[in-house]
Amino acid sequence: MGKDSISTDGAYLVIRDGQKWSDVFRLVPGRTVTIGRADTNKIVIREDKASRLHAEIFFTDEKWMVRDLGSRNGTLVGGETLQGDRRLEPGDVVHIASTELRFVDNLTNAYDAKGRSRNAAIANEALDETAQVEQDSKTDGGNYQVSEPQTITHRRQRPKILTESSDEELDEADLPPAGLAAKKICRLAFELANVRSLKKIADVALERLIKETGTDSGAVLLVPRNRRTTADPRRLEVLATYSKIRPEYQRVSKFLAETALRNGEAVLARDVQNDSALGLRDAEGKIYATSVICAPIRLAKRSIGLVHLYSTTEKVLDPDDLEFTLAVAETIGVALKTTYREQKLVDDLSKTKNQISLLRDQLGVDSEIIGNSPAMFRVHQQISKAAPSRATVLVRGESGVGKELVARSVHLNSDRKSGPFICINCAALSETLLESELFGHEKGAFTGATERKAGKYEAADKGTLMLDEIGEMSPSIQAKFLRVLEGHPFERVGGTREIRVNVRVIAATNRDLEESVRQGTFRKDLFFRLHVVQIDVPPLRERPEDVLDLAEYFLEKFKMETGRRIDGFSRQAIEQLKKYSWPGNVRELKNVVERAVVLASGSTIELDEVILTKLPATEQHAPTPAFEAAPFQLASLEEVEARHIEATLATTGWNKSQAAKALGIERSTLDRKIKKFGLTR
């Protein structure tokens, strides 16, 4: 049906959004049209000044009416604010926010109210679409918008453009030449993206070229990577060749190679029988090529190779073949760039691993310990000497210096590194629980033992067991543990079966074990059994060179955990960190940095955000109450008691059970005194 014969009887809203006509809406009697910002409206206006339910247009008594629905900014008709219901006449303009809705009974009358020229484009488009809309409306009485409907398509298969099918030739027959070439290049690029070797890239690209151009011979040649540029065909590296006929592929001429590699130009030559610079000669010296293409392969604006095709049959290569070959050559360049980059990354990673391995070999230790001070270097040397042996190791140092890291480093550099590394804190458990944790228990051995449990000693078989705070172990457990250390089997708590394991023991303590032996709280024979190899970990105040490295390490760690953007420490904050005595050692430094990251208000941690305690440093292995280390000053007995309890808690890392034992009071008494004096960690 022609455009002039389409019936346009009816009513329409021609919608103008800003400076352009945007849509045509057909009005159907019996269907109310709501207008507003909400998606549930028939006509949606995406403007803040439009209310969610702004106005409505409805048909009654053979006429179309408009009504404002209590909108915030009102509705205008003909420049006047709408009050109540109003009849719409052809040509009336309804204003809602900055949107105009022109009411017409014929689309050809959709002109501007101010007398500007009609918008022929939207009227013609609407007329074309209205014929089908009217027919659909008569069928089901629907209210249709005269615009192309939305369509959502779901697919799970690979894209058709990347998948060959039996109907390929039929599908490609409908494509223009440029679209067909683009499809083939896209498919080739996808294939090359999944290839990792240079030869495979060349093979795939040449196979595609031979198939699409119909030629019978060709090659992909590269300049050797150790030579920046060469145009000598004899020195080019042949990645792939192909030839359907005899003789086999003949190398590109020097003229074509120079044109592609030195000038970066692609060449198509036809009817070359009389041109020795372009043609190819057989054994008798006769030129037999009818046409030839040579295209450069570029990498970062430099020609690194070329694609060479020639035909010896009636097939004559044309400009379209040249364009396709040039596009393939560019695609090869991108694939080579990706491959070279991956190879470089692999090489760099391998070099880095070798360097790390070399440094570790030179140091003789695999370690997670941060620090390059002479004191820590001595620790690394001790670890490197102790790790290869099977001797028991005793790690000594103040609380918070990183004794567990030292023990882990010994494990990682021993022949047991593939086995488990298990750590147990002897001060954190009561005597009964410690025995169960160490040796395990059978079901029903004691109240709460609902099932059999293997102990830490058994779990560490063929690995390393670290006993932290070994000085807190009770005498009865010391006796049982000594027997196990001497190679005897053990039994689970409540069990009768003997268990033998192969475990290396590393003990750690911050106490003066010699003094404990003299006082009778630690067995002398166990001390000598543990004290085979000793590693002393220096406190942080004895290695100030490591403070900043540790602070930067913890800063990066907590930045990643919290997502905060902090550039570093201010100069004043750094000076404060360096001159502080760090009685809590690395553990205290870690907590200070974590607190600073949480409290930081800017991009730099300032001095007032580095919150430090006023506790003095203690001598290693011989904790001294804080009030004794400080100059004498008058104080009440209650103040002295508070400071003494606070110092003891700090020394034990706020382990209340250990502190109560050191103070000689019950745990509940310690809790009351902490509350009484208002002590905080």
Side-chain angles (χ1 to χ4, degrees), residues 458-475:
E458 184 178 350
D461 188 25
K462 297 182 177 60
T464 304
L465 175 66
M466 179 190 174
L467 295 173
D468 198 8
E469 305 297 348
I470 187 72
E472 307 301 323
M473 186 180 285
S474 67

Side-chain angles (χ1 to χ4, degrees), residues 24 70 73 109 132 149 162-163 196 212 214 223 244 266 295 363 372 419 425 446 499 518 538 543 563 571 631 662 670:
V24 175
N73 295 305
N109 295 329
Q132 184 62 42
L162 302 178
T163 308
R196 291 296 176 266
E212 301 302 340
V223 176
K244 290 182 180 178
L363 186 59
N372 298 302
N425 191 330
F446 51 84
I499 301 172
R518 285 192 292 268
R543 48 188 182 107
R571 183 177 57 82
L670 177 61

Side-chain angles (χ1 to χ4, degrees), residues 39-111:
D39 293 335
T40 54
N41 292 291
K42 298 291 186 180
I43 299 177
V44 180
I45 299 178
R46 303 290 188 188
E47 295 186 57
D48 292 338
K49 291 185 177 181
S51 299
R52 292 183 58 81
L53 194 61
H54 197 105
E56 64 179 1
I57 296 176
F58 56 95
F59 190 79
T60 181
D61 295 334
E62 303 300 322
K63 57 184 179 292
W64 286 98
M65 308 289 292
V66 59
R67 174 188 298 158
D68 185 85
L69 298 176
S71 64
R72 183 174 65 254
N73 295 305
T75 303
L76 301 179
V77 179
E80 298 180 358
T81 302
L82 183 63
Q83 302 290 340
D85 297 347
R86 171 169 172 167
R87 177 176 180 175
L88 289 173
E89 300 290 346
D92 280 347
V93 177
V94 179
H95 286 270
I96 296 177
S98 62
T99 301
E100 298 180 9
L101 300 93
R102 178 174 302 281
F103 176 77
V104 296
D105 57 0
N106 192 308
L107 285 177
T108 58
N109 295 329
Y111 57 88

Side-chain angles (χ1 to χ4, degrees), residues 91-158:
D92 280 347
V93 177
V94 179
H95 286 270
I96 296 177
S98 62
T99 301
E100 298 180 9
L101 300 93
R102 178 174 302 281
F103 176 77
V104 296
D105 57 0
N106 192 308
L107 285 177
T108 58
N109 295 329
Y111 57 88
D112 192 271
K114 296 182 179 179
R116 289 189 289 240
S117 60
R118 299 175 182 176
N119 193 312
I122 192 169
N124 290 337
E125 291 175 4
L127 285 170
D128 287 338
E129 297 175 354
T130 301
Q132 184 62 42
V133 172
E134 289 182 344
Q135 182 62 38
D136 293 341
S137 299
K138 292 175 182 178
T139 303
D140 58 13
N143 190 3
Y144 290 90
Q145 185 173 343
V146 185
S147 60
E148 186 177 351
Q150 286 187 340
T151 302
I152 300 176
T153 304
H154 296 270
R155 291 189 74 251
R156 292 187 178 181
Q157 295 79 16
R158 289 182 68 190

Side-chain angles (χ1 to χ4, degrees), residues 540-558:
L540 192 55
R541 63 179 173 277
E542 293 182 7
R543 48 188 182 107
E545 307 96 319
D546 297 334
V547 171
L548 191 55
D549 289 341
L550 285 164
E552 294 289 349
Y553 170 79
F554 290 131
L555 176 61
E556 292 300 320
K557 178 178 184 293
F558 294 123

Side-chain angles (χ1 to χ4, degrees), residues 319-371:
D320 288 340
D321 294 325
L322 175 64
E323 288 297 321
F324 185 77
T325 304
L326 189 57
V328 171
E330 294 289 342
T331 306
I332 294 174
V334 174
L336 292 178
K337 179 180 179 181
T338 303
T339 302
Y340 288 151
R341 184 178 298 167
E342 289 184 356
Q343 290 177 350
K344 186 176 185 304
L345 289 174
V346 171
D347 292 343
D348 290 346
L349 181 60
S350 178
K351 290 179 182 178
T352 302
K353 287 182 176 179
N354 290 336
Q355 290 173 354
I356 294 173
S357 178
L358 179 61
L359 291 173
R360 284 177 172 169
D361 290 342
Q362 292 174 349
L363 186 59
V365 61
D366 186 356
S367 175
E368 299 173 336
I369 301 172
I370 306 297

